[in-house]
Amino acid sequence: MSPERTVTIHVGYDEHVGDYEATGECYEVAEVAKAGLTDADDIAEVRFAARTATDLRRATVFEHWLPMASRFRLELAHVPTHKGPPLPSVNDEDLWSRGMALRPQDGINQTVRVWECLQQIAAKRSASGSWEIDLEFCHRVPLGAILTAVCRALDGHRSMRSGPVAGPTGPGTVFPRLALIKDPARHRFVTRAELVEGTVIAVAAGPEIARTPPVDERSVNPTGFLRRVGPSFGSLISVENRHSVVVPGLPPIRLPLSGEVTDREISELRSVRGILIPFPSHVQDQRIVARIVAGFGAAGVPIYGEPHTEWPGLLGDELATLFTTATKELLCDDLYREEHSILLRRHVLRHHGTIGRLYPGERPRVSVLMSTKRPEMVARAVAQVRRQRDVEVELVLALHGFPPSFVPPDVAAECQVICVPSSAALGEVLNLAAARAGGTFLAKMDDDDFYGPDHLADLSLSQRFSGADLVGFSGEQVYLAELDLTIGRMANMEVEKPTSAVGNGILMGGSLFITRSAFDALGGFKPVPLHEDGELCAAVRSAGGLVYRQHGLNHIYYRGAPENHSWQVSNEWYLNGSPYRWPGLHFNRLMTQLREEGARLADN
């Protein structure tokens, strides 16, 4: 007798009624293990409904408890605009690798690949932006494999240690009810929650935020941040333990009961200039508010709070300071607002993201590739790299056309020095430097630009949450040496998006940050004298990789006489459309370490 049972599983919905139409048996995803659906033989069709992409990733934590069937209908109510269609990204996974025992009633007498069983797939998108995907297989296959494949597509077809299979927040942390399940055969999937909770204690934060689950940075992150917004401010309110953000002129934006915000709430709040977070009046609200602060902070939503003596105990000293020093008046300035957003996201992603919690103190290994034709710039270039923090950094310095005798011994001791003939093209020079590099990531830095101390660390964070092969930024701050003037071009630039979603998709050569694996797979830079950076961006995208553009506030582009640059445009070109202008060499709040050195660096 063929299976006829239909089961509906949902995630992310606080109430069933009105959110979607439930058919057949209906379970919240954390209830499936108790319901005994994993080994059920009579399920013909599974309908899976997720409210957001964030919720979909959370559901993959339960993949080994999800049922098998031959027909599936996936419904995803909200997909961020910067992500592609949620079509499965096919891999070579088989039923055995998904933890499913093969049984005679499945009609399979050998291990098969899940996607070899696919008979048909259909997808449609509604006017509201929700997606519905129907899949039919010739044999029963696990729902967990399909959800993970959809997450791969939404994550840019990449896997990371914090990816869907590993569980973005760890079993038992998103849904505490799972802790009630005692199944020794599957205990290995539960111990990750213990690892998360054990690591949390070491985090320098207040007691409530330290006990909250980590933020899933692959779905709650700064992607989509809007640099120019209207004047509206919002405030967090609580009515009968349900938190909402109220913005004048808009319907209240309800947050999940747990306080763990998703990509949907973030996208709805992008146009808000700032959100006031009041100190929670009830003890039971403190953990929820701490969780909301962590989620908003990771996404770069500008939040602020009135000074309160108990904020440090709730959030930790550093986050409480960031949080309470901002004011509504200060956030009215676009540049201050973006700086505040960057400081918030930097702290939360480092300390309360998935990798930050599971691997506290981990520092990415970055090799900086730097080519110079000017001996007088060597000491300054090395100082720029030495200043970088929160990364393990090495410098491979390529002397392009002059001998190592021009490099002081104390400077040479801090880096690897190679000498390349002046006849070599810049792409060749950088490839020779890359051959000597030992980092997991390769970064290209220029010898005459100015870099803040978190330049490499922020690029690493952007690579982590975006999953991109290549990360960089555009020239947003420029020092025009001939005019002794620093300008900011931020108002006309789109940031925090894959380059396919912004203007011309160009990244500055001195900002490139690429995974070693992608660099090697592409064969490195093209051996060309100019535009090797643009060629690398194009090569990554042509190979199916992702290129991501982040903010450029850790960097100032040094612009000397136009004839000394390959991009030969006049100073007037830079001045047109620049809303910010400061006399002399001006460093913003993210580059405070350079302020005292400014005059000396400018003279060099």
Side-chain angles (χ1 to χ4, degrees), residues 560-602:
E563 60 270 17
N564 294 333
H565 297 270
S566 56
W567 177 244
Q568 295 188 4
V569 295
S570 65
N571 290 328
E572 286 69 26
W573 184 89
Y574 284 96
L575 292 172
N576 289 335
S578 299
Y580 294 98
R581 302 185 184 187
W582 302 275
L585 185 57
H586 174 81
F587 297 105
N588 62 46
R589 288 196 297 152
L590 305 185
M591 304 176 73
T592 52
Q593 214 178 31
L594 283 82
R595 283 182 178 173
E596 295 181 358
E597 305 174 40
R600 180 176 58 82
L601 289 174

Side-chain angles (χ1 to χ4, degrees), residues 460-482:
S460 174
L461 280 179
S462 294
Q463 191 282 327
R464 178 188 300 177
F465 66 69
S466 69
D469 299 283
L470 176 64
V471 181
F473 47 76
S474 296
E476 300 174 14
Q477 300 176 109
V478 182
Y479 174 64
L480 301 174
E482 287 189 323

Side-chain angles (χ1 to χ4, degrees), residues 291-474:
R291 207 169 188 183
I292 292 170
V293 168
F296 285 168
V301 174
I303 52 177
Y304 65 103
E306 299 294 337
H308 194 289
T309 56
E310 296 186 38
W311 276 124
L314 185 67
L315 305 177
D317 291 338
E318 185 174 350
L319 184 53
T321 300
L322 286 173
F323 179 70
T324 55
T325 52
T327 65
K328 185 175 182 178
E329 291 72 25
L330 289 171
L331 291 173
C332 288
D333 178 77
D334 287 339
L335 181 57
Y336 182 95
R337 176 179 176 271
E338 185 171 4
E339 291 171 346
H340 180 61
S341 168
I342 293 168
L343 292 170
L344 280 172
R345 71 181 73 155
R346 179 186 292 166
H347 175 82
V348 175
L349 289 171
R350 285 180 184 173
H351 299 290
H352 303 293
T354 306
I355 293 180
R357 288 284 185 88
L358 294 178
Y359 308 95
E362 181 175 270
R363 294 151 58 93
R365 296 175 58 236
V366 183
S367 296
V368 173
L369 313 179
M370 184 180 291
S371 171
T372 181
K373 291 184 173 182
R374 296 169 290 189
E376 68 276 10
M377 299 299 296
V378 169
R380 171 181 154 182
V382 173
Q384 297 272 43
V385 178
R386 185 194 306 126
R387 187 180 294 114
Q388 300 303 304
R389 59 192 180 192
D390 292 314
V391 293
E392 290 186 15
V393 62
E394 70 167 355
L395 170 61
V396 184
L397 183 64
L399 309 182
H400 196 180
F402 61 94
S405 57
F406 284 88
V407 181
D410 58 328
V411 173
E414 298 185 48
C415 57
Q416 295 190 59
V417 178
I418 63 173
C419 297
V420 184
S422 58
S423 58
L426 181 55
E428 295 177 279
V429 175
L430 294 171
N431 287 337
L432 290 172
R436 299 282 294 273
T440 307
F441 302 96
L442 303 178
K444 180 178 179 293
M445 292 176 65
D446 288 341
D447 60 352
D448 54 352
D449 292 348
F450 305 101
Y451 296 90
D454 296 287
H455 163 70
L456 294 177
D458 277 3
L459 287 170
S460 174
L461 280 179
S462 294
Q463 191 282 327
R464 178 188 300 177
F465 66 69
S466 69
D469 299 283
L470 176 64
V471 181
F473 47 76
S474 296

